[in-house]
Amino acid sequence: MSILSSLLGNAGAIDKDQLQADYGKLLIPSETLEAGFKIIRDTFIFTNKRLIIIDVQGLTGRKIEYFSVIYKSISRFSVETAGSFDLDAELKIWISGEQTPSISKRFNKKVDIYEVQKLLAEFTL
């Protein structure tokens, strides 16, 4: 099932030590990692100061975009839980002034979507 979830673009949680080893150079001294999720080649990282989305582009994956969203610029968010026959949960985030979700990501059942919602609520409220 994990191979199927990966092919469908679903996310799985990443260990904090692995996140620190791979992306620690992106952080400022007072910033700490809270949680991270992998979606095929892309990574979704929550820190105590911002949300970082690492978008691996192209066939070779050499081109990478590091997209940071300061929590105070998030105007609203929603989570949709996985159902009985639905394989994934979904997170949508709206940036201030935008009518449609700026960010939309799917997470597999291995990720506690309530924990993702709790992290966002903690940093945005």
Side-chain angles (χ1 to χ4, degrees), residues 74-93:
I74 296 173
S75 61
R76 63 186 189 264
F77 60 90
S78 72
V79 291
E80 181 181 304
T81 60
S84 299
F85 299 104
D86 193 8
L87 295 176
D88 55 3
E90 188 172 6
L91 168 68
K92 294 179 184 176
I93 298 174

Side-chain angles (χ1 to χ4, degrees), residues 31-125:
E31 193 171 19
T32 58
L33 294 166
E34 298 296 328
F37 305 96
K38 186 85 169 167
I39 304 173
I40 302 182
R41 299 188 311 171
D42 299 341
T43 306
F44 204 73
I45 300 172
F46 290 91
T47 76
N48 62 327
K49 302 209 179 268
R50 62 188 163 146
L51 173 63
I52 304 170
I53 300 171
I54 299 150
D55 181 16
V56 178
Q57 301 172 358
L59 293 174
T60 63
R62 287 186 153 170
K63 184 176 180 180
I64 301 172
E65 177 184 17
Y66 299 92
F67 182 72
S68 293
V69 179
I70 308 304
Y71 291 121
K72 67 180 177 182
S73 69
I74 296 173
S75 61
R76 63 186 189 264
F77 60 90
S78 72
V79 291
E80 181 181 304
T81 60
S84 299
F85 299 104
D86 193 8
L87 295 176
D88 55 3
E90 188 172 6
L91 168 68
K92 294 179 184 176
I93 298 174
W94 286 261
I95 304 298
S96 298
E98 296 194 11
Q99 297 297 318
T100 59
S102 306
I103 300 164
S104 182
K105 298 291 180 185
R106 294 180 136 171
F107 297 85
N108 65 23
K109 288 186 177 184
K110 291 181 183 177
V111 174
D112 182 356
I113 196 68
Y114 295 107
E115 186 63 30
V116 173
Q117 186 277 151
K118 183 179 173 182
L119 281 166
L120 273 170
E122 182 179 334
F123 293 121
T124 59
L125 300 177

